[in-house]
């Protein structure tokens, strides 16, 4: 049977008669969080029966949750065919209450979703890469991660959630399904997560960055840059042999970005490899002419990893260099650090445990 989560509202409207029922089905699934057609009480019984014969509502099943002291949670999720993926929930801002206890500002969350089982890109610092590539996720399997987490965490439908496609897999290597997920997420009768609150994080598939830009979806872009010279980047990310730094920067310069937004450059600081001021200087040169923001991330060593976490002073000096030259720059502190921040680690560990 087909997973109804794979359908955009427009596609679903082709499947039901009359078409406006698609809107009601979206509201039931995404806003009210029901998991059976029987509960969709404003649909005629015959339609509910027909839907149940043709479709399932199948978000992934949560197998394991690993919590961190900072409030982030990492989820190991099982798909219908038994494969597992992971997603991360990051609480961004707690709710604010006034003196009477009334909520004046809702809490905000970011959910980091996977787009593939495994990954073809093969980054040296990534455990997902070690398992190789298995398959692309369907749109419903991407959207379903958010449904499963919202339900588990009891996040009401009207709470603000941002999506980052930064879990397992290279989202631009599964662009068609990711694009459909973006549309389903942003549907006004569904979760209403506007495209400008969805960020595609890519290892730098330059032609796909260009294609994404041409699709005009309005999403934000994050580039996993990590190195400023091609030799080091090839070692860290073999994909750099196909699309080198210059080619990526060229693609980014042509990407349409909302006036108020910036392209995020992720830079994994690895001790003694790319954490020096010479690299910072080169980074400033590369980003000239781009409305950029740099997110420095401490490398988080995993058992057997060949790289180490940089010293804090080096990271701060790197950040200071960029800030002094007018480039917005943050250091991603330990969000999720005490769980397992590098993608794929929870999955690896659970596999290891079951062997
Ligand atoms: S870091 Fe991301 S792109 Fe690189 S191998 Fe891992 S999952 Fe793939």
């Amino acid at each position: 049977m087909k997973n109804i989560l794979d359908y955009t509202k427009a596609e679903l409207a082709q499947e039901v008669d009359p078409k406006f029922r698609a809107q009601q089905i979206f509201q039931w699934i995404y806003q009210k969080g029901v998991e059976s057609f029987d509960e969709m009480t404003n649909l005629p019984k015959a339609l509910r029966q027909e839907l149940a014969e043709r479709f399932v509502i199948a978000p992934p099943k949560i197998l394991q949750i690993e919590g961190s002291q900072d409030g982030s949670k990492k989820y190991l999720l099982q798909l219908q065919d038994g494969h597992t993926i992971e997603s991360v929930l990051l609480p961004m801002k707690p709710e604010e209450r006034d003196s009477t206890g009334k909520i004046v500002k809702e809490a905000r969350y970011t959910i980091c979703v996977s787009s593939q089982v495994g990954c073809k890109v093969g980054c040296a610092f990534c455990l997902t890469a070690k398992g190789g590539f298995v398959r692309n996720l369907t749109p419903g399997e991407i959207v379903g991660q958010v449904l499963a987490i919202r339900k588990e965490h009891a996040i009401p439908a009207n709470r603000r959630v941002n999506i980052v496609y930064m879990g397992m897999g290279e989202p631009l290597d599964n662009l068609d399904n990711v694009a459909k997920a973006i549309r389903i997420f942003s549907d006004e009768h569904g979760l209403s997560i506007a495209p400008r609150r969805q960020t595609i994080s890519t290892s730098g598939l330059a032609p796909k960055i260009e294609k994404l830009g041409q699709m005009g979806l309005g999403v934000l872009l994050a580039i996993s840059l990590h190195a400023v010279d091609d030799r080091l980047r090839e070692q860290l990310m073999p994909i750099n042999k196909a699309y080198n730094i210059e080619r990526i920067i060229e693609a980014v310069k042509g990407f349409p970005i909302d006036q108020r937004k910036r392209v995020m450059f992720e830079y994994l600081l690895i001790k003694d490899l790319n954490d020096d001021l010479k690299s910072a200087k080169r980074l400033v040169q590369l980003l000239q002419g781009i409305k950029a923001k740099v997110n420095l991330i401490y490398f988080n060593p995993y058992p057997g990893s060949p790289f180490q976490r940089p010293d804090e002073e080096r990271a701060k000096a790197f950040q200071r260099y960029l800030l002094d030259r007018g480039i917005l720059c943050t250091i991603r502190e330990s969000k999720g650090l005490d769980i397992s921040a590098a993608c794929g680690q929870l999955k690896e560990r659970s596999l290891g445990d079951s062997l």
Side-chain angles (χ1 to χ4, degrees):
M1 270 204 276
K2 292 173 182 162
N3 186 358
I4 203 161
L5 304 181
D6 282 330
Y7 289 71
T8 62
K9 195 174 65 197
E11 287 171 338
L12 196 55
Q14 302 301 316
E15 303 285 330
V16 290
D17 188 27
K19 292 187 189 316
F20 75 86
R21 297 288 183 203
Q23 175 181 322
Q24 292 174 315
I25 296 169
F26 252 59
Q27 285 165 330
W28 279 113
I29 296 175
Y30 295 103
Q31 297 180 352
K32 296 176 189 152
V34 306
E35 286 185 347
S36 81
F37 296 106
D38 233 19
E39 293 169 78
M40 301 182 181
T41 47
N42 60 354
L43 302 188
K45 201 153 184 231
L47 178 59
R48 281 187 259 158
Q49 252 166 13
E50 186 202 323
L51 289 169
E53 281 160 20
R54 294 176 57 203
F55 299 103
V56 285
I57 306 171
K61 195 173 126 201
I62 296 175
L63 288 187
Q64 195 180 324
I65 305 173
E66 204 178 334
S68 161
Q69 276 178 2
D70 63 14
S72 53
K73 285 193 164 65
K74 196 157 182 166
Y75 294 81
L76 182 70
L77 299 161
Q78 188 174 46
L79 305 170
Q80 277 194 300
D81 65 1
H83 286 300
T84 52
I85 51 166
E86 58 178 34
S87 322
V88 179
L89 172 72
L90 303 165
M92 304 309 282
K93 281 191 184 153
E95 64 186 19
E96 286 174 28
R97 290 172 187 266
D98 64 14
S99 53
T100 65
K102 198 175 132 216
I103 297 175
V104 284
K105 255 195 188 158
E106 304 288 4
R108 291 191 185 180
Y109 302 90
T110 291
I111 296 178
C112 172
V113 294
S114 292
S115 54
Q116 298 178 314
V117 181
C119 185
K120 291 179 203 158
V121 175
C123 301
F125 48 81
C126 170
L127 272 172
T128 296
K130 310 264 180 291
F133 173 73
V134 180
R135 69 170 175 84
N136 283 331
L137 295 190
T138 68
E141 287 170 334
I142 298 170
V143 172
Q145 296 168 55
V146 173
L147 283 185
I149 291 174
R150 287 186 84 121
K151 187 175 174 214
E152 170 67 29
H153 208 70
I155 302 174
N158 61 352
R159 289 295 187 284
R160 182 170 275 207
V161 171
N162 295 328
I163 305 289
V164 279
Y165 299 81
M166 202 185 262
M168 293 170 70
E170 162 55 65
L172 293 187
D173 191 35
N174 185 16
L175 180 54
D176 290 345
N177 289 349
V178 166
K180 210 180 256 191
I182 292 165
R183 293 196 177 100
I184 298 171
F185 277 133
S186 57
D187 195 290
E188 57 175 329
H189 298 109
L191 294 171
S192 281
I193 303 172
R196 64 172 188 285
R197 290 199 272 129
Q198 301 186 49
T199 303
I200 303 272
S201 171
T202 175
S203 59
L205 306 189
K208 295 286 181 72
I209 294 172
E210 286 157 354
K211 193 170 170 204
L212 178 71
Q214 286 154 10
M215 289 169 104
L217 293 167
V219 284
L220 305 183
L221 190 64
I223 306 289
S224 300
L225 194 63
H226 305 325
V228 286
D229 73 90
D230 283 322
R231 251 192 37 219
L232 176 61
R233 195 164 190 275
E234 274 172 27
Q235 279 174 33
L236 296 174
M237 307 176 75
I239 190 77
N240 199 69
K241 288 184 194 133
Y243 311 109
N244 67 12
I245 295 173
E246 198 185 329
R247 177 75 184 86
I248 295 168
I249 296 292
E250 178 195 311
V252 171
K253 284 187 172 160
F255 189 83
I257 276 281
D258 185 308
Q259 284 284 311
R260 295 155 297 174
K261 303 285 181 182
R262 290 168 188 272
V263 178
M264 171 84 85
F265 286 83
E266 305 281 345
Y267 193 96
L268 193 62
L269 283 169
I270 304 175
K271 186 173 177 142
D272 298 335
L273 265 190
N274 64 358
D275 60 346
D276 58 324
L277 289 185
K278 220 173 118 203
S279 300
K281 185 175 178 190
R282 177 77 189 118
L283 186 54
V284 172
Q285 288 166 350
L286 279 173
L287 298 185
Q288 253 171 26
I290 299 176
K291 252 181 99 188
K293 180 181 173 191
V294 174
N295 191 18
L296 302 173
I297 310 153
Y298 285 109
F299 177 72
N300 184 27
Y302 50 84
S305 95
F307 308 117
Q308 284 164 18
R309 183 184 161 94
D311 298 331
E312 211 173 308
E313 305 85 74
R314 298 266 281 192
K316 292 245 166 81
F318 197 108
Q319 180 192 31
R320 174 67 27 221
Y321 188 91
L322 265 61
L323 288 173
D324 286 348
R325 279 146 193 89
I327 295 182
L328 271 184
C329 178
T330 51
I331 303 184
R332 198 192 291 169
E333 262 309 333
S334 56
K335 262 212 187 313
L337 189 71
D338 59 331
I339 43 175
S340 34
C343 67
Q345 288 196 31
L346 181 66
K347 182 170 176 206
E348 290 294 317
R349 223 184 292 153
S350 102
L351 284 178
D353 290 347
S354 60
L355 289 176

